Amino acid sequence: MPTISPDRLAQVFVEIADTLVEDFDLFEFFNLVTSRTAELADVAAVGLLLVDHHGHLQFMAASTEEARLLELFQVQTEEGPCQDAFHSGTPTVNADLTTADDRWPEFAPRAVAAGYRSVHAIPLRLRTNVIGALNLFGADTGRLDPTDVKIIQGLADVATIALLQERTIQRVEALTEQLQSALNSRVVIEQAKGVVAQLHNVDVTEAFELLRSYARSNRLRLLDVAQAVVTAPATFPDLVPG
Amino acid sequence: MNSPVGHVRALIAAEQIDGRDPATAEGFLRCLCAAAVRAVPASGAALNVLVGDGSFGLWIDGGAGSKVITELQVTLGEGPSVDAHATRRPVFEPSLGDSGVTRWPVFAAGAMDLGVRAVFAFPLQVGAARLGVLELHRTAPGSLTDDQLRVALTFAQVGVSRLLGSTEDLDGSGTDGFEAANADQAVLHQAQGMAMVQLGVSLGEASLRLRAHAYATGRRLTEVARDLVERRIINLDGEGAQSPDEDLDEDLA
């Protein structure tokens, strides 16, 4: 029985279409995709990873940036649902992490210890390229309904197109240029987290929330705020906790 | 040594000749350009390094007059390296004679006079820290294949690592924070931001000081980074202040 509500899905697609405008904010977009996927699929958390020039998956964004969750994305360098989805180009669905130790000896026990019981990964595809994955974590055991898997694949495909900001890729170079830019942008965000953590004596997770709130309140792109915070930290007196 | 980075480092080491000593920063970068030309392959390569006021300073020529083509861009204020630096993303122009003319009318004409038909510029950067640009030239038009792009990006990555003070063994046998696992990468970048604020220096300088601290205390860069982020080290200031890579500073002076 599919979980995803058609009405809610229609609303999400409209939301996504609305973000594909001139002031496109890549990281807010990733946040939208991961948050909405989590809500539609009724799972605890969703993360988005992109591939680098070595073929390694790198964390880009998640529905929640808790440290223990981020580690679960980062531990999947050699094995895990994202590796499987990335290499096969097809969804990886796992209903019960407690029986997955043989399949993923490093990843499965850590995911269970973090409180998750099911995991799924949907590849981010552009024609013959797989450029990353959406990683879903559930607090309960249970498969994703096949119809839901198709819908989430559709969302993932839309996210991929948005990343490349072109309906058709005119130039072969566009994909690499865009991926490299996105990967470097994530680094800027990590550096900005460090700057804010140091300036305001908070941990890096709270630093991220401060950056996001500031960007939203001032209608700025998260990346632009991060960039400016790292370049000129003293010019953000309003960026304070509380 | 099977890793792509280790392989590239070995290629760079193999370019050592009289007058080009990879133990110095400038020598290493010259070997890097020469190795990139052979490996990608390309007809020429140039690597420029930003100096303190944010302008392109040190020019490394990979041969075949490549330096002239990148210097032309500084004179004109236009070109693929100028764009790559400004936009913080790679800029690839496989067809200088067609789309290249639209993008950079004066530069394209000048570069084509010098025989160049395709240019690929890779910003050398770690997040907001911009260090320079690696530029590859070809005398025939056409895109780089996926494999060639991977190789070129790895050369750029090794260039960044060297510019951030890595005096990694040329056979790649030591540990280098920039080849660390995913989880360590995020912590390393957060630590760069924290150190930048603590020390009141640029991001690039903060990265050098993190490395210097690790070097001076005999610890791995990623351990120092994690200690800083998790507040086991409160402040880097005054600890291990000397950079191990003074010759780069001298080259830029």
Side-chain angles (χ1 to χ4, degrees), chain B:
Chain B
M1 174 53 60
N2 280 329
S3 79
V5 172
H7 177 62
V8 159
R9 288 188 188 278
L11 292 176
I12 293 171
E15 292 291 339
Q16 176 174 6
I17 57 173
D18 285 346
R20 195 161 70 194
D21 177 6
T24 66
E26 183 178 353
F28 182 91
L29 297 174
R30 288 179 70 200
C31 290
L32 187 154
C33 286
V37 163
R38 240 190 263 279
V40 173
S43 56
L47 190 155
N48 58 70
V49 178
L50 291 177
V51 293
D53 65 356
S55 60
F56 290 141
L58 182 63
W59 297 98
I60 313 283
D61 189 325
S66 315
K67 196 167 93 166
V68 175
I69 292 163
T70 40
E71 283 176 335
L72 185 59
Q73 297 176 56
V74 174
T75 310
L76 297 175
E78 70 171 42
S81 278
V82 173
D83 288 0
H85 175 66
T87 62
R88 302 166 186 271
R89 55 200 293 144
V91 172
F92 302 148
E93 183 43 75
S95 186
L96 205 52
D98 296 315
S99 33
V101 176
T102 313
R103 291 168 96 170
W104 316 289
V106 187
F107 166 76
M112 286 174 65
D113 278 350
L114 294 164
V116 173
R117 293 290 177 276
V119 184
F120 308 92
F122 301 83
L124 303 176
Q125 59 190 3
V126 175
R130 294 187 293 177
L131 309 166
V133 184
L134 171 66
E135 195 175 85
L136 301 176
H137 311 130
R138 280 184 163 179
T139 50
S143 303
L144 294 176
T145 65
D146 285 352
D147 284 342
Q148 291 169 344
L149 271 173
R150 263 191 284 277
V151 171
L153 284 165
T154 307
F155 272 99
Q157 179 187 350
V158 171
V160 168
S161 189
R162 186 61 180 87
L163 287 169
L164 287 176
S166 166
T167 46
E168 176 62 51
D169 295 339
L170 294 176
D171 68 356
S173 59
T175 56
D176 183 314
F178 294 98
E179 291 148 50
N182 255 328
D184 294 333
Q185 289 280 2
V187 165
L188 185 57
H189 300 139
Q190 291 159 16
Q192 288 166 355
M194 292 181 75
M196 190 189 95
V197 172
Q198 283 177 12
L199 301 169
V201 298
S202 72
L203 202 46
E205 176 65 23
S207 303
L208 279 167
R209 293 276 287 273
L210 271 170
R211 185 179 295 278
H213 181 86
Y215 188 76
T217 55
R219 304 181 65 215
R220 291 178 57 213
L221 180 58
T222 50
E223 285 169 3
V224 171
R226 199 168 282 281
D227 278 354
L228 197 61
V229 171
E230 293 172 9
R231 314 285 180 160
R232 282 186 290 276
I233 297 174
I234 300 304
N235 200 312
L236 272 180
D237 206 354
E239 301 195 47
Q242 202 60 22
S243 162
D245 190 16
E246 287 155 37
D247 62 312
L248 184 60
D249 295 338
E250 285 164 12
D251 289 342
L252 294 175

Side-chain angles (χ1 to χ4, degrees), chain A residues 13 16-17 19-21 24 26 29-30 33 48 50 123-127 129 131-132 153-170 174-175 178-179:
Chain A
F13 268 115
I16 287 175
T19 67
L20 300 177
V21 293
F24 181 68
L26 183 66
F29 179 74
F30 284 157
V33 169
L48 189 152
L50 290 181
L124 295 174
R125 313 171 303 190
L126 187 77
R127 293 201 270 271
N129 289 297
I131 64 162
Q153 182 67 71
L155 274 171
D157 292 344
V158 169
T160 307
I161 291 169
L163 169 64
L164 298 164
Q165 290 189 45
E166 292 175 327
R167 288 218 192 85
T168 58
I169 301 306
Q170 305 290 357
L175 178 56
Q178 203 74 1
L179 278 173

Side-chain angles (χ1 to χ4, degrees), chain A residues 68-129:
Chain A
R68 70 182 175 128
L69 179 70
L70 300 196
E71 281 170 20
L72 288 179
F73 299 128
Q74 292 160 345
V75 86
Q76 295 182 59
T77 46
E78 304 284 319
E79 55 154 83
C82 289
Q83 285 297 317
D84 294 352
F86 176 68
H87 289 293
S88 70
T90 59
T92 295
V93 174
N94 176 265
D96 189 348
L97 273 170
T98 60
T99 63
D101 284 10
D102 285 346
R103 193 175 182 187
W104 303 311
E106 289 294 323
F107 167 76
R110 282 182 170 84
V112 170
Y116 299 112
R117 290 291 173 273
S118 56
V119 70
H120 320 289
I122 310 293
L124 295 174
R125 313 171 303 190
L126 187 77
R127 293 201 270 271
T128 57
N129 289 297

Side-chain angles (χ1 to χ4, degrees), chain A residues 80-238:
Chain A
C82 289
Q83 285 297 317
D84 294 352
F86 176 68
H87 289 293
S88 70
T90 59
T92 295
V93 174
N94 176 265
D96 189 348
L97 273 170
T98 60
T99 63
D101 284 10
D102 285 346
R103 193 175 182 187
W104 303 311
E106 289 294 323
F107 167 76
R110 282 182 170 84
V112 170
Y116 299 112
R117 290 291 173 273
S118 56
V119 70
H120 320 289
I122 310 293
L124 295 174
R125 313 171 303 190
L126 187 77
R127 293 201 270 271
T128 57
N129 289 297
V130 183
I131 64 162
L134 271 182
N135 198 180
L136 287 68
F137 287 89
D140 305 313
T141 56
R143 304 190 67 77
L144 279 184
D145 182 278
T147 307
D148 289 347
V149 172
K150 282 194 183 138
I151 292 171
I152 295 165
Q153 182 67 71
L155 274 171
D157 292 344
V158 169
T160 307
I161 291 169
L163 169 64
L164 298 164
Q165 290 189 45
E166 292 175 327
R167 288 218 192 85
T168 58
I169 301 306
Q170 305 290 357
R171 296 179 300 124
V172 164
E173 290 74 20
L175 178 56
T176 300
E177 289 172 0
Q178 203 74 1
L179 278 173
Q180 287 296 311
S181 176
L183 290 163
N184 190 65
S185 298
R186 181 73 214 183
V187 175
V188 176
I189 289 174
E190 295 297 341
Q191 290 167 339
K193 281 160 70 171
V195 169
V196 172
Q198 181 65 34
L199 279 178
H200 298 293
N201 200 26
V202 295
D203 70 28
V204 288
T205 304
E206 194 180 340
F208 181 74
E209 288 311 317
L210 285 174
L211 285 162
R212 280 197 75 204
S213 304
Y214 187 90
R216 282 216 186 111
S217 315
N218 293 278
R219 303 171 79 76
L220 298 166
R221 287 192 192 112
L222 176 63
L223 177 58
D224 291 340
V225 172
Q227 193 76 60
V229 162
V230 177
T231 320
T235 58
F236 286 83
D238 295 344

